[in-house]
Amino acid sequence: MKVPVLMTLFFLQWRFPLAAQVQTEVPPVVPSAKPVTMEHIKVHGTSLEGNLEGEAVDRDVFVFLPPSYGKDKHRRYGVVYALHGFSIGAEQWTHEIHVPQTIEGAFALGAREMIVVLPDSKTGYGGSMYSSSVTTGDFEKFVAHDLVAYIDAHYRTSPTARAADWWATRWEVMARPGLG
């Protein structure tokens, strides 16, 4: 008995998952860029406790601190929470979008320095979709409450800084002639 072609293709895709289909261009190195500091931490997600799949409640998080963070001990910084998509985790995504080179270049080209946080919300199903689920956990609340509270308690964040300013500045820098 022959196995239908679609069933075979489904099995092969499940057995041998495809790599990311979109490759991000490596941003040009900005000679004047100063290095950011990366911290790989674990953040406990109270909102993830009791999920039916047994997904980890202590989640990996990558925190990128701007070049001036270690020097200016009284300065506070805005925070951007960069969320990866479905089927890719935070560590793989940092390589895909070329962090920290992208962040360092943006700061060197005039973007306001800030803290960039990449939480890992990948689950056994490939991702969380940042939803509230009893099955995989309440990742919406984890990011919006647990993670923000942790970052605010452990880093010098600014309650008044606007993350939108960073993105607006980044788009301005990208729009300048020759920077593409």
Side-chain angles (χ1 to χ4, degrees):
M1 184 167 137
K2 292 186 177 185
V3 178
V5 173
L6 289 177
M7 186 181 256
T8 303
L9 290 173
F10 174 77
F11 172 76
L12 289 174
Q13 183 178 3
W14 172 77
R15 182 72 176 100
F16 306 101
L18 299 173
Q21 295 179 7
V22 177
Q23 293 295 320
T24 307
E25 278 187 46
V26 178
V29 173
V30 178
S32 62
K34 294 181 176 79
V36 297
T37 301
M38 186 198 78
E39 295 185 356
H40 182 186
I41 61 174
K42 292 265 189 193
V43 175
H44 182 78
T46 304
S47 55
L48 301 175
E49 292 175 351
N51 69 77
L52 300 176
E53 289 295 317
E55 294 291 344
V57 296
D58 294 323
R59 306 302 299 191
D60 288 317
V61 176
F62 298 92
V63 179
F64 296 89
L65 302 172
S68 66
Y69 191 87
K71 297 173 188 140
D72 190 348
K73 302 290 185 189
H74 299 289
R75 183 173 172 189
R76 296 195 162 282
Y77 297 84
V79 182
V80 167
Y81 294 87
L83 308 179
H84 62 78
F86 199 80
S87 81
I88 188 171
E91 183 171 8
Q92 182 183 357
W93 195 47
T94 61
H95 299 297
E96 178 69 29
I97 62 172
H98 310 288
V99 177
Q101 183 176 330
T102 300
I103 298 169
E104 293 168 348
F107 292 157
L109 293 172
R112 180 182 301 165
E113 283 193 326
M114 63 181 42
I115 299 168
V116 179
V117 179
L118 284 77
D120 195 330
S121 298
K122 191 169 182 181
T123 68
Y125 291 108
S128 72
M129 296 179 65
Y130 305 101
S131 60
S132 177
S133 166
V134 295
T135 305
T136 58
D138 191 343
F139 279 92
E140 178 182 9
K141 192 172 181 181
F142 168 71
V143 171
H145 297 282
D146 300 341
L147 181 59
V148 171
Y150 182 93
I151 296 299
D152 285 347
H154 292 85
Y155 296 93
R156 294 189 316 273
T157 63
S158 173
T160 59
R162 293 178 46 204
D165 289 345
W166 184 83
W167 292 110
T169 303
R170 179 65 184 133
W171 286 113
E172 282 177 27
V173 168
M174 290 172 57
R176 290 182 194 159
L179 297 177

